[in-house]
Amino acid sequence: MSKKAFYVTTPIYYVNAEPHIGHAYTTVIADFLARWHRLAGYDSYFLTGTDEHGEKIAQAAKAAGEEPQAFVDRVSTRFKEAWKRLCIEYDDFIRTTEPRHKKIVQEILQKVYDAGDIYYGEYEGYYCVGCERFLTDKELVDGCCPDHGTPPEKRKEGNYFFRMEKYREWLIDYINSHPDFIRPEGYRNEVLSILSEPIGDLSISRPRERVPWGIPIPWDEKHVTYVWFDALINYVSAVGYPDGEKYQRYWDSVWHLIGKDIIKPHAIFWPTMLKAAGMPIYKHLNVGGFLMGPDGRKMSKTLGNVVDPFDLSEKYGADVVRYYLLSDVPYGQDASVGETHLVARYNADLANDLGNLLSRTITMIEKFCGGEIPAPKAKGSPDDELIALAESLPDKLETMVNRMQLNAAIREIWRFIGRANKYIDETMPWSLAKDSSQKERLDTVLYNLAEALRVAAVHISPIMPNTPAKIFEQLGIDDASLSSWESVKKWGGLPAGLKVSRKEIIFPRIDEKAKEKAKAEQETKAKAKEEKQAEAKEEAANIISIEDFAKVELRIAEVLEAEKVKGADKLLKLQVKIGDERRQIVAGIAKYYSPEELVGKKIVVVANLKPAKLRGELSQGMLLAASNEEGLSLITVDRDIESGARVK
Ligand code: ME8
């Protein structure tokens, strides 16, 4: 019987930044899934890669003073190196600047164009370069991109458009009739809610003179392909769409893995593009949550809470980092990660549960059986429970992995390891050894423990690819068939008579106190260094000339009226008097001030700012306020002075 196919992908990562823990997290999950499916008898295929076109990359190359191609070649290699360090074994690494990819992007574009689903038009909107897409008014928070916190640029240009709206109803039906198409469920609902209103058509090109770094539109060389239309196609170009053997073999089974930041392109752009191109839709979109710093805040260099998976793997080994990421974070949810958490999990699960099971078992076989795994002879009462648990694992894991309940699946494996440790306490081999009439029972108990370790080693192999060999070595196993999936479905595959040998402890306990102290010292040093650098940077950036300062016209304004802006939680609309002039100012202070308490206040405003529209409301100036993490305080005057007075 031919094997079932399984195809898993990660997002292709932008090469404007170095690989970090978020990329590592998604890629480790994909690697786990690829390895698990291979183990369970699937023909498994794993694709990752890098996203190398678009404005963001061109800007990063320029900032690095490099030609775009040289820049993307260099950073793309950084990703490959990073994956090696985490023992990621992808089958293919696609780069969007490769000819094999560009060719397919052009073919698909042409196909959709020929089918009449691409047209030319003028577009005006707010573009966020960080997201590489136009944001809708609804998405903006206080006029800024919710993910990047920066105001998008207003742009008007001639673009080609993909008739995405045309497929909205179809997509709603598709999602409704395929309940596990997008998962976990919360994200599916989020997508359905976006689709409950018109989504419009998608601008899929950029004028080449503005963004030269892209794939030319095949029928109009003056335009290049929009980076998302280009990037999404990697999932099929890499496997040789349309005729390639791999495309035929794997495409129908594909699971995409993404983070929640890129749900819209994957759940809306991509299926509608596939539909328009007459291609089958992918099988599952699996959406992961965000990893936060150990303090629960978004990781950032300035907060000093960045967790580097590559430093951690240097310190603890790739297997430990992989185990930690896979076992500690419930898939789909946001979670804090950090070294202290990692050490706690390591000590509890790896040093205590798994490490102790191995060292206790090897010690007892050496001590009581001359170092040879005995043959089982006399069954006893707790055996059945241990064996039943082992034999039920493969099915349970299959169900859980299929539902992306990865940390729960790992917990099941650890429940079994815990059961084996308890089995030692219940059977007390050291007591059995004292009574020669119990020799047969002792042999059985020790056999079962060795078999339990073999079963555990096989199950953890997709999580920790280097650890099973260490366990097998100590158990004296060198027969590869004993690490197969089939061999763990039925208890008793381990042959008796193997020679065990004690080696180094696989997961020595980490002394947390010493570790914490060392870490704290390191952190203090790193922080001091960062602060110094930041200060120097700020100084360099902040020095302005008196002429520069004189350009800013600061004036006293009296608040006459204030009210909330409808539909914007954070905004207040103020009517202020600046001398004889009356103006409207919209400010993001609703969280800190009620409209009533503002009326009558004399505040400081920037009076010569270009007017802007926030949520459709005109704002003719900006008020000054001091803020920190706790709150915000308006700058006022401490003696009465008439409105309009200049602040110098
Ligand atoms: O979006 N926690 O690339 P990207 C968890 N090129 N996962 C995180 C994370 C975090 N803090 N930060 C990033 C792109 N990720 C596009 C994709 S695909 C056709 C094109 C992970 O380099 C997560 O998987 O910004 C997220 O979706 C991905 O990195 C974004 O990577």
Side-chain angles (χ1 to χ4, degrees):
M1 200 178 78
S2 81
K3 287 181 174 181
K4 270 206 265 179
F6 174 74
Y7 176 24
V8 63
T9 69
T10 70
I12 46 169
Y13 302 111
Y14 283 129
V15 286
N16 65 326
E18 293 276 313
H20 59 69
I21 196 155
H23 304 134
Y25 173 59
T26 311
T27 313
V28 163
I29 296 176
D31 187 66
F32 164 80
L33 289 170
R35 286 176 189 266
W36 186 89
H37 280 86
R38 192 164 302 132
L39 173 67
Y42 288 75
D43 170 10
S44 164
Y45 197 78
F46 168 18
L47 173 72
T48 187
T50 40
D51 192 352
E52 306 187 352
H53 286 129
E55 260 184 277
K56 183 147 94 171
I57 309 299
Q59 282 178 4
K62 199 167 168 198
E66 289 175 68
E67 282 303 313
Q69 191 62 52
F71 175 78
V72 300
D73 287 349
R74 184 170 60 77
V75 186
S76 180
T77 308
R78 301 280 299 146
F79 277 85
K80 288 188 176 165
E81 288 164 358
W83 301 150
K84 218 182 241 161
R85 290 164 76 178
L86 286 171
C87 300
I88 305 288
E89 267 181 19
Y90 46 80
D91 293 291
D92 194 0
F93 189 102
I94 179 102
R95 300 181 51 197
T96 53
T97 49
E98 288 176 83
R100 62 167 172 161
H101 172 73
K102 294 195 219 172
K103 178 172 159 269
I104 303 299
V105 170
Q106 292 192 322
E107 270 178 37
I108 292 180
L109 272 168
Q110 189 72 51
K111 203 167 165 184
V112 180
Y113 183 65
D114 291 345
D117 276 346
I118 290 178
Y119 63 92
Y120 188 80
E122 282 274 314
Y123 192 79
E124 185 169 3
Y126 291 101
Y127 195 79
C128 172
V129 178
C131 295
E132 288 279 25
R133 65 182 179 90
F134 283 100
L135 303 178
T136 59
D137 280 348
K138 240 177 127 181
E139 283 175 306
L140 300 180
V141 175
D142 294 347
C144 291
C145 163
D147 284 346
H148 294 92
T150 45
E153 290 170 30
K154 192 157 194 184
R155 286 191 180 169
K156 184 175 177 179
E157 60 191 28
N159 286 174
Y160 283 97
F161 286 86
F162 163 53
R163 293 188 198 281
M164 189 162 74
E165 174 63 24
K166 174 176 156 189
Y167 294 101
R168 184 163 66 93
E169 286 302 326
W170 163 81
L171 184 56
I172 295 173
D173 287 347
Y174 192 88
I175 296 173
N176 281 329
S177 57
H178 297 78
D180 59 0
F181 178 56
I182 300 168
R183 57 195 193 181
E185 208 185 348
Y187 296 110
R188 173 176 184 266
N189 296 335
E190 200 177 306
V191 173
L192 283 172
S193 138
I194 301 176
L195 290 172
S196 66
E197 288 178 32
I199 49 175
D201 290 341
L202 180 65
S203 146
I204 53 136
S205 71
R206 300 289 177 265
R208 198 172 189 171
E209 52 175 37
R210 189 169 65 72
V211 189
W213 189 237
I215 302 176
I217 295 281
W219 61 89
D220 185 348
E221 291 271 319
K222 290 200 292 302
H223 293 263
V224 297
T225 312
Y226 164 52
V227 64
W228 270 108
F229 200 98
D230 163 352
L232 289 161
I233 288 173
N234 90 87
Y235 302 130
V236 292
S237 68
V239 284
Y241 168 83
D243 305 316
E245 211 177 287
K246 287 189 193 122
Y247 173 74
Q248 304 291 342
R249 171 108 192 92
Y250 295 113
W251 177 245
D252 283 348
S253 67
V254 69
W255 291 23
H256 293 316
L257 293 184
I258 60 163
K260 64 178 184 181
D261 52 332
I262 52 176
I263 190 165
K264 196 168 173 185
H266 281 82
I268 298 180
F269 304 175
W270 185 220
T272 53
M273 281 164 64
L274 287 167
K275 177 76 179 156
M279 294 158 73
I281 312 305
Y282 57 79
K283 190 162 175 200
H284 294 299
L285 181 64
N286 302 290
V287 187
F290 258 3
L291 300 186
M292 318 294 244
D295 48 4
R297 289 197 278 179
K298 196 166 179 227
M299 282 185 222
S300 88
K301 285 207 177 124
T302 31
L303 287 175
N305 63 352
V306 175
V307 179
D308 184 337
F310 310 106
D311 283 354
L312 288 179
S313 69
E314 206 128 279
K315 216 159 157 186
Y316 301 102
D319 280 21
V320 173
V321 177
R322 292 170 59 110
Y323 175 75
Y324 171 60
L325 290 176
L326 288 164
S327 66
D328 208 54
V329 182
Y331 190 70
Q333 294 176 27
D334 291 348
S336 292
V337 290
E339 191 167 356
T340 316
H341 288 141
L342 177 143
V343 169
R345 220 161 233 290
Y346 171 97
N347 279 337
D349 301 354
L350 302 181
N352 261 7
D353 295 348
L354 180 60
N356 274 348
L357 180 64
L358 179 67
S359 66
R360 287 167 98 186
T361 303
I362 300 290
T363 307
M364 291 190 292
I365 293 176
E366 283 185 334
K367 210 162 153 192
F368 306 137
C369 304
E372 207 166 272
I373 297 176
K377 295 173 191 98
K379 265 186 126 183
S381 67
D383 300 11
D384 284 345
E385 203 186 314
L386 181 73
I387 295 171
L389 201 55
E391 291 184 344
S392 69
L393 266 184
D395 280 351
K396 263 193 221 158
L397 297 183
E398 177 136 32
T399 309
M400 289 177 159
V401 171
N402 269 325
R403 294 184 184 149
M404 280 303 283
Q405 295 163 334
L406 305 185
N407 72 326
I410 294 171
R411 261 209 314 278
E412 280 302 319
I413 303 174
W414 255 258
R415 211 153 69 86
F416 170 66
I417 293 169
R419 186 67 194 83
N421 272 316
K422 190 168 154 222
Y423 179 81
I424 301 181
D425 303 337
E426 289 165 346
T427 54
M428 296 192 288
W430 50 92
S431 285
L432 298 173
K434 284 191 195 132
D435 180 350
S436 59
S437 72
Q438 294 287 344
K439 176 73 176 112
E440 294 201 340
R441 180 66 190 136
L442 174 68
D443 284 355
T444 309
V445 166
L446 293 181
Y447 175 86
N448 282 341
L449 287 170
E451 174 68 338
L453 275 161
R454 180 186 74 90
V455 168
V458 173
H459 283 304
I460 65 173
S461 61
I463 313 166
M464 297 192 280
N466 304 301
T467 302
K470 293 183 187 161
I471 298 176
F472 273 28
E473 189 188 9
Q474 299 206 25
L475 289 171
I477 301 175
D478 64 3
D479 175 356
S481 73
L482 293 178
S483 56
S484 76
W485 186 245
E486 285 309 312
S487 80
V488 292
K489 286 187 171 166
K490 181 119 192 66
W491 191 259
L494 181 71
L498 297 177
K499 272 282 200 202
V500 303
S501 57
R502 174 198 297 281
K503 293 271 161 15
E504 266 176 38
I505 292 185
I506 52 170
F507 296 114
R509 253 193 102 73
I510 297 169
D511 179 352
E512 282 159 81
K513 290 229 169 78
K515 204 100 233 178
E516 264 168 31
K517 204 169 144 222
K519 199 181 147 217
E521 276 168 13
Q522 218 181 9
E523 273 177 5
T524 321
K525 266 197 207 151
K527 261 219 169 104
K529 196 174 152 199
E530 251 178 39
E531 272 167 19
K532 234 179 159 175
Q533 280 172 347
E535 265 172 31
K537 212 169 150 192
E538 258 173 37
E539 260 176 32
N542 282 347
I543 295 171
I544 56 167
S545 67
I546 188 118
E547 288 81 4
D548 284 341
F549 182 68
K551 284 187 197 152
V552 182
E553 190 189 324
L554 298 174
R555 288 192 185 274
I556 301 298
E558 186 181 346
V559 181
L560 304 174
E561 290 164 33
E563 62 176 308
K564 293 202 160 161
V565 175
K566 266 195 210 120
D569 300 350
K570 296 188 180 162
L571 298 184
L572 286 186
K573 185 166 74 175
L574 314 180
Q575 306 303 329
V576 301
K577 180 169 163 292
I578 305 177
D580 295 327
E581 204 186 333
R582 203 182 145 112
R583 287 198 195 179
Q584 170 166 298
I585 293 183
V586 180
I589 56 170
K591 255 171 53 195
Y592 312 99
Y593 288 91
S594 64
E596 306 74 64
E597 68 182 304
L598 288 173
V599 175
K601 264 200 197 318
K602 291 219 167 125
I603 58 174
V604 180
V605 299
V606 182
N608 60 339
L609 205 63
K610 199 165 151 195
K613 268 204 169 166
L614 291 175
R615 290 290 170 109
E617 293 286 352
L618 185 66
S619 184
Q620 303 159 294
M622 189 168 81
L623 50 76
L624 297 193
S627 76
N628 63 11
E629 274 145 23
E630 268 94 55
L632 174 145
S633 174
L634 285 175
I635 311 289
T636 56
V637 282
D638 77 343
R639 285 195 193 142
D640 199 25
I641 186 160
E642 81 282 3
S643 77
R646 179 104 198 233
V647 178
K648 290 183 209 160

